[in-house]
Amino acid sequence: MEIFNLIDKVGQTKIYRGFKVKPQINDLIRIPYIPKDTKHLVPNRKNTFKHVSTEKVYKVYKVVNVNQILIRDDQDDSVHLLNGQYQVVEEISDKEIELYKQNREMLVMIDKLIKSKNK
Protein backbone atom coordinates (compact mmCIF):
# COMPACT_ATOMS: atom_id res chain seq x y z
CA MET A 1 0.00 0.00 0.00
CA GLU A 2 1.38 3.38 -1.00
CA ILE A 3 0.55 6.35 1.23
CA PHE A 4 0.68 9.98 0.08
CA ASN A 5 0.13 13.42 1.62
CA LEU A 6 -1.85 15.29 -1.04
CA ILE A 7 -3.83 18.52 -1.25
CA ASP A 8 -7.56 18.23 -1.97
CA LYS A 9 -9.69 20.64 -3.99
CA VAL A 10 -10.38 22.79 -0.90
CA GLY A 11 -6.66 23.17 -0.18
CA GLN A 12 -6.36 20.92 2.87
CA THR A 13 -3.57 18.36 3.09
CA LYS A 14 -4.93 14.86 3.67
CA ILE A 15 -3.55 11.36 3.61
CA TYR A 16 -4.42 9.11 0.68
CA ARG A 17 -3.54 5.58 -0.35
CA GLY A 18 -2.84 4.57 -3.93
CA PHE A 19 -4.31 1.70 -5.93
CA LYS A 20 -3.57 0.11 -9.28
CA VAL A 21 -7.12 -0.08 -10.63
CA LYS A 22 -8.95 1.38 -13.59
CA PRO A 23 -10.62 4.68 -12.71
CA GLN A 24 -14.30 5.45 -12.97
CA ILE A 25 -16.11 8.79 -13.12
CA ASN A 26 -15.69 10.80 -9.87
CA ASP A 27 -12.71 8.72 -8.68
CA LEU A 28 -9.83 10.67 -7.20
CA ILE A 29 -6.47 10.43 -8.93
CA ARG A 30 -2.97 11.76 -8.42
CA ILE A 31 -0.38 12.55 -11.07
CA PRO A 32 2.92 10.90 -10.07
CA TYR A 33 5.05 12.84 -12.56
CA ILE A 34 4.70 15.54 -15.18
CA PRO A 35 6.38 14.77 -18.52
CA LYS A 36 8.79 17.40 -19.83
CA ASP A 37 7.63 17.18 -23.44
CA THR A 38 3.88 16.67 -23.90
CA LYS A 39 3.65 17.60 -27.57
CA HIS A 40 3.87 13.98 -28.70
CA LEU A 41 1.38 12.84 -26.04
CA VAL A 42 -1.47 15.25 -26.80
CA PRO A 43 -1.24 16.92 -30.21
CA ASN A 44 -2.07 20.64 -30.47
CA ARG A 45 -2.00 21.07 -26.67
CA LYS A 46 1.55 22.11 -25.90
CA ASN A 47 0.93 23.19 -22.28
CA THR A 48 -1.37 20.35 -21.25
CA PHE A 49 0.26 19.89 -17.84
CA LYS A 50 0.84 23.58 -17.14
CA HIS A 51 -1.83 23.88 -14.42
CA VAL A 52 -1.61 20.48 -12.73
CA SER A 53 0.54 19.46 -9.78
CA THR A 54 1.99 16.23 -8.46
CA GLU A 55 1.01 17.39 -4.96
CA LYS A 56 -2.76 17.56 -5.58
CA VAL A 57 -5.72 15.25 -6.04
CA TYR A 58 -7.97 15.57 -9.10
CA LYS A 59 -11.39 14.11 -9.85
CA VAL A 60 -12.02 12.08 -13.00
CA TYR A 61 -14.87 13.61 -14.95
CA LYS A 62 -14.76 11.41 -18.05
CA VAL A 63 -13.34 8.01 -18.92
CA VAL A 64 -12.52 8.14 -22.64
CA ASN A 65 -11.49 4.50 -22.98
CA VAL A 66 -9.46 1.88 -21.13
CA ASN A 67 -6.24 3.89 -21.52
CA GLN A 68 -7.42 7.54 -21.31
CA ILE A 69 -9.24 9.72 -18.81
CA LEU A 70 -10.09 13.43 -18.57
CA ILE A 71 -9.67 15.60 -15.49
CA ARG A 72 -10.12 19.30 -14.80
CA ASP A 73 -6.93 21.16 -13.92
CA ASP A 74 -6.57 24.14 -11.55
CA GLN A 75 -7.80 26.51 -14.29
CA ASP A 76 -10.85 24.25 -14.95
CA ASP A 77 -9.46 23.15 -18.34
CA SER A 78 -9.66 19.56 -19.56
CA VAL A 79 -6.50 17.48 -19.29
CA HIS A 80 -6.07 14.17 -21.13
CA LEU A 81 -4.16 11.57 -19.12
CA LEU A 82 -2.91 8.29 -20.52
CA ASN A 83 -2.74 5.04 -18.58
CA GLY A 84 0.69 5.51 -16.97
CA GLN A 85 0.20 9.18 -16.06
CA TYR A 86 -2.17 8.79 -13.12
CA GLN A 87 -2.91 6.66 -10.08
CA VAL A 88 -6.27 6.16 -8.39
CA VAL A 89 -6.22 7.23 -4.73
CA GLU A 90 -8.61 7.07 -1.79
CA GLU A 91 -8.64 9.16 1.38
CA ILE A 92 -7.63 7.31 4.54
CA SER A 93 -9.47 7.95 7.80
CA ASP A 94 -7.64 8.56 11.07
CA LYS A 95 -8.84 5.19 12.38
CA GLU A 96 -7.35 3.37 9.39
CA ILE A 97 -4.03 5.17 9.88
CA GLU A 98 -3.93 4.14 13.53
CA LEU A 99 -4.72 0.50 12.67
CA TYR A 100 -2.02 0.52 9.98
CA LYS A 101 0.56 1.80 12.50
CA GLN A 102 -0.46 -0.82 15.06
CA ASN A 103 -0.25 -3.63 12.51
CA ARG A 104 3.13 -2.44 11.32
CA GLU A 105 4.49 -2.29 14.88
CA MET A 106 3.18 -5.78 15.55
CA LEU A 107 4.78 -7.14 12.37
CA VAL A 108 8.13 -5.54 13.28
CA MET A 109 7.98 -7.16 16.73
CA ILE A 110 7.16 -10.57 15.21
CA ASP A 111 10.03 -10.18 12.76
CA LYS A 112 12.46 -9.35 15.56
CA LEU A 113 11.22 -12.33 17.57
CA ILE A 114 11.71 -14.71 14.63
CA LYS A 115 15.19 -13.34 13.95
CA SER A 116 16.20 -13.72 17.61
CA LYS A 117 14.98 -17.37 17.65
CA ASN A 118 17.03 -18.19 14.53
CA LYS A 119 20.32 -17.02 16.10
Side-chain angles (χ1 to χ4, degrees):
M1 174 169 60
E2 297 177 273
I3 297 178
F4 308 100
N5 288 325
L6 301 170
I7 301 169
D8 64 3
K9 197 151 191 123
V10 181
Q12 296 177 340
T13 301
K14 296 185 179 180
I15 299 175
Y16 294 87
R17 67 174 149 203
F19 296 100
K20 294 185 180 188
V21 295
K22 294 179 180 161
Q24 298 177 353
I25 295 174
N26 293 327
D27 279 354
L28 298 175
I29 60 118
R30 78 177 187 100
I31 300 172
Y33 70 95
I34 296 175
K36 292 181 181 177
D37 182 24
T38 61
K39 190 174 182 180
H40 70 283
L41 297 174
V42 183
N44 302 325
R45 302 236 15 226
K46 190 174 184 180
N47 297 322
T48 301
F49 291 93
K50 189 174 183 178
H51 300 290
V52 294
S53 171
T54 57
E55 304 291 321
K56 293 186 178 182
V57 173
Y58 298 96
K59 190 179 280 191
V60 175
Y61 84 89
K62 185 175 182 180
V63 178
V64 178
N65 58 32
V66 177
N67 296 320
Q68 294 181 359
I69 62 170
L70 291 173
I71 64 168
R72 297 269 185 210
D73 65 7
D74 297 335
Q75 302 292 321
D76 209 31
D77 293 330
S78 296
V79 177
H80 248 44
L81 295 175
L82 301 176
N83 198 9
Q85 297 175 325
Y86 60 85
Q87 181 180 23
V88 177
V89 294
E90 177 184 69
E91 187 178 346
I92 300 177
S93 69
D94 292 337
K95 185 177 179 180
E96 288 176 306
I97 294 169
E98 193 61 39
L99 287 172
Y100 175 76
K101 287 179 181 177
Q102 288 174 0
N103 288 341
R104 186 172 175 186
E105 289 172 3
M106 185 172 58
L107 289 173
V108 167
M109 289 189 322
I110 291 171
D111 187 50
K112 287 180 181 177
L113 183 67
I114 290 172
K115 286 180 181 178
S116 68
K117 294 279 184 178
N118 290 335
K119 288 185 177 181

